[in-house]
Amino acid sequence: MAFVANDNQQLELTDSTLNLTQREKRVLEISWAKTFAEQVFPAIDESIFSVLYSDKASRPNTPVNVIVGALILKEALGDTDDELVEALMFDIRYQYALHTTSFEEQPLSDRTLSRFRARVLAYETEHDVDLIHECVVKMVKEISEFMNISPGRQRMDSLMVAANIRNLSLLELFYTCVANLAKIMNQREVLLPKEQHHYIEKDDYNRFIYHQREVDAAERTVVVMHDAEKLIGLCDKTGDLDDTSEYQLLIRLLKERTVMDDDGGRRLRKKEEIQNSSEVLLNPSDPDATFRYKAGGKNLGYVGNVVESVGANGSLITDYAYEKNIYTDNQFMKDYLERQDTFDDGSFIVADGAYSGEANIKAAESHNLKLVTTNFTSRKPDEIYAGFRFTEDGHFLIECINGCKPEECTYDPGNDHSVAYFKTKECDTCPYKDRCQPRFLKTRVRKEVSWKAVGRAKRGCKKSCVYGK
């Protein structure tokens, strides 16, 4: 399918608006369709999506600006795909908004939108470029000028986006991954061992998960784990399923949730042995979904970040980002500032305390932008934290207020905290022990602290504060 720009916007003699009465034309002129047709639709840059189509002469594509405009209307008006396609056929407002009133037949079908999304997703997966994001950001610049909204007054905030999956128990997770691989093996005519054949049988899930309560769930999980090993070994011999997601996900599950003993046997990892627990596989239906605690609740899925410009005539979302929900607000701010040019004098961006940090404040200043953070997410940190030293990326604690260096330090991306371990002797004699309140373990001392808390402590100190050196 070749890319052809939709440049023909002239009215034809068969245009449907010519058959409207004067009263109908007046109503159409004051509806949302006129604003969309004159301001939003012309701002859609079709050329961004030309990479999705062939450069050889072939059947022309459905007009891209009509597809993108229809997707915007779908979200704005709360339509489903089917409702949108029907509305475009019979509602003159949709046709007027998308400049299709002269089309002999409306260009959208029940598969047009889904195929377009698939093309965009495939391109992003291969090239790591979000064409929709590029198009929206480019449109925003023109729309903000029309609305007379300056980018000098902005606010940023994030929101959790729940994944449409269930948080499976460990037994359910192992069973589902093994059953998925067994089914794909059966489809490709790989002979399953007799002991694992039940995974492809109907209603086996209910029988195994719910009708065997006399056997402990942990014991059944071990059984499924060993079945997984056998199926993986069989796949490795054939070499025909390495490219399947079912095979890759089961390999990932075994790596994340199991470990090999010294005697060469495999066992389930203990809770404290799981590395990056926020990033482990939760459900094979959505392998990218992650787990996070936020605002006192459990969140399973993703996080969106929105930048909004505010003016006298209203507000407009000017940028957005979408990541796994372990992505921190602090990092969203860094990413946004890296993409920006220099702002006009007096520009500022308002965000909550999670977006703060010395690096972000300096980065904002380099773009002539003032970062204003409000509503700190926790109580005011003790001033002693102003004397803690971190690496430049804010992930690892280098030295505490007493000048002690940790023996070991790890970074927890889920909470954006540095977890440091000190010698017991050093912390036991520290004059700041009661204010620091580290956790004394059997052989060493554990201290968990975030770079944001250190930055807030420094800003909270007076200029003469000794900790702020």
Side-chain angles (χ1 to χ4, degrees):
M1 184 178 292
F3 174 78
V4 178
N6 182 24
D7 297 326
N8 185 14
Q9 304 296 331
Q10 294 182 347
L11 294 181
E12 298 182 1
L13 294 177
T14 57
D15 193 277
S16 56
T17 58
L18 300 178
N19 297 324
L20 298 178
T21 65
Q22 291 300 317
R23 180 186 177 189
E24 290 171 337
K25 288 181 180 179
R26 286 197 302 271
V27 173
L28 182 61
E29 288 291 313
I30 62 175
S31 71
W32 54 264
K34 180 177 176 61
T35 302
F36 191 95
E38 295 181 354
Q39 303 299 332
V40 180
F41 188 82
I44 300 173
D45 185 2
E46 289 185 291
S47 63
I48 293 175
F49 300 94
S50 62
V51 294
L52 301 179
Y53 301 93
S54 172
D55 55 358
K56 298 179 181 180
S58 58
R59 181 170 61 89
N61 61 291
T62 300
V64 175
N65 53 1
V66 174
I67 297 176
V68 176
L71 289 173
I72 296 173
L73 288 179
K74 174 182 180 296
E75 299 301 326
L77 302 176
D79 294 336
T80 64
D81 283 5
D82 291 339
E83 290 171 343
L84 178 65
V85 172
E86 291 178 6
L88 185 59
M89 289 181 182
F90 305 111
D91 193 328
I92 189 66
R93 294 173 301 174
Y94 282 76
Q95 297 173 14
Y96 188 77
L98 298 176
H99 293 213
T100 61
T101 51
S102 292
F103 281 45
E104 182 177 347
E105 184 176 2
Q106 295 305 310
L108 297 188
S109 69
D110 57 344
R111 296 294 303 277
T112 304
L113 301 180
S114 59
R115 287 171 178 164
F116 181 76
R117 293 191 194 98
R119 286 175 180 266
V120 171
L121 178 58
Y123 187 84
E124 182 178 2
T125 302
E126 182 177 355
H127 301 281
D128 195 27
V129 176
D130 186 352
L131 299 178
I132 295 291
H133 182 268
E134 284 189 18
C135 180
V136 170
V137 172
K138 190 171 182 179
M139 288 174 58
V140 161
K141 293 180 180 179
E142 298 188 30
I143 296 174
S144 59
E145 293 178 1
F146 159 70
M147 295 180 64
N148 195 25
I149 294 178
S150 170
R153 301 170 62 185
Q154 301 180 344
R155 64 180 297 270
M156 179 181 290
D157 203 359
S158 62
L159 64 155
M160 287 296 171
V161 181
N164 189 25
I165 58 174
R166 189 163 63 90
N167 191 8
L168 301 178
S169 67
L170 188 58
L171 173 59
E172 292 173 313
L173 180 60
F174 264 95
Y175 180 94
T176 303
C177 289
V178 171
N180 287 347
L181 180 58
K183 291 172 183 176
I184 197 69
M185 291 172 68
N186 184 60
Q187 290 176 8
R188 297 198 178 186
E189 298 182 350
V190 177
L191 184 61
L192 289 171
K194 182 179 179 181
E195 295 79 5
Q196 285 80 44
H197 192 273
H198 66 91
Y199 286 106
I200 66 173
E201 296 176 359
K202 186 179 179 180
D203 296 330
D204 182 67
Y205 180 90
N206 289 334
R207 286 197 301 267
F208 192 88
I209 301 297
Y210 301 116
H211 298 166
Q212 295 186 23
R213 298 296 177 89
E214 68 278 1
V215 182
D216 185 70
E219 295 180 21
R220 284 181 284 161
T221 305
V222 172
V223 171
V224 183
M225 178 191 70
H226 291 312
D227 287 342
E229 280 189 296
K230 295 175 183 177
L231 293 185
I232 290 296
L234 187 58
C235 291
D236 291 341
K237 289 181 180 179
T238 61
D240 295 333
L241 290 101
D242 295 356
D243 61 332
T244 64
S245 61
E246 292 81 2
Y247 173 84
Q248 297 295 337
L249 288 177
L250 189 53
I251 289 289
R252 173 185 169 185
L253 178 62
L254 290 174
K255 182 179 179 180
E256 293 175 345
R257 296 301 187 106
T258 69
V259 65
M260 302 300 292
D261 276 333
D262 295 335
D263 58 1
R266 187 182 296 273
R267 65 171 176 82
L268 296 173
R269 289 181 185 267
K270 299 177 182 178
K271 186 175 182 180
E272 59 271 16
E273 293 178 322
I274 300 176
Q275 301 175 351
N276 299 325
S277 57
S278 297
E279 301 182 50
V280 298
L281 181 67
L282 301 173
N283 191 314
S285 299
D286 192 349
D288 292 330
T290 49
F291 179 83
R292 180 182 179 183
Y293 281 102
K294 185 173 182 180
K298 300 178 181 179
N299 296 278
L300 180 66
Y302 303 88
V303 61
N305 192 71
V306 177
V307 180
E308 181 183 30
S309 294
V310 182
N313 297 326
S315 61
L316 179 68
I317 293 177
T318 54
D319 204 345
Y320 69 91
Y322 183 76
E323 297 286 348
K324 296 179 181 179
N325 67 8
I326 58 173
Y327 212 76
T328 63
D329 290 348
N330 190 277
Q331 188 61 49
F332 274 125
M333 179 64 76
K334 291 178 183 177
D335 296 343
Y336 174 70
L337 293 173
E338 288 176 358
R339 299 193 299 266
Q340 302 309 305
D341 298 324
T342 301
F343 289 83
D344 296 332
D345 291 339
S347 298
F348 63 88
I349 183 170
V350 179
D352 61 40
Y355 292 91
S356 64
E358 292 185 22
N360 286 348
I361 293 175
K362 292 179 180 179
E365 291 175 351
S366 68
H367 293 282
N368 200 27
L369 184 68
K370 182 178 181 181
L371 174 58
V372 181
T373 55
T374 60
N375 297 329
F376 288 140
T377 56
S378 59
R379 64 178 182 174
K380 182 180 178 181
D382 194 296
E383 290 181 349
I384 65 168
Y385 290 112
F388 281 54
R389 292 177 53 229
F390 271 74
T391 55
E392 291 186 2
D393 59 9
H395 290 175
F396 302 98
L397 178 64
I398 300 175
E399 187 178 81
C400 74
I401 177 63
N402 199 35
C404 297
K405 295 179 174 57
E407 294 182 315
E408 178 187 351
C409 189
T410 59
Y411 174 65
D412 182 0
N415 295 317
D416 194 24
H417 280 188
S418 175
V419 182
Y421 295 90
F422 295 87
K423 295 179 180 178
T424 304
K425 181 179 179 180
E426 293 176 341
C427 291
D428 197 36
T429 58
C430 178
Y432 304 103
K433 177 177 64 175
D434 293 337
R435 296 171 66 180
C436 180
Q437 295 183 342
R439 182 182 176 187
F440 284 81
L441 306 176
K442 289 184 179 181
T443 58
R444 54 184 180 171
V445 179
R446 183 179 188 271
K447 179 59 184 176
E448 184 174 339
V449 63
S450 72
W451 193 30
K452 290 183 290 186
V454 172
R456 286 159 48 199
K458 288 182 179 181
R459 293 193 296 275
C461 284
K462 295 180 180 179
K463 292 183 179 180
S464 59
C465 178
V466 68
Y467 307 126
K469 59 185 177 182

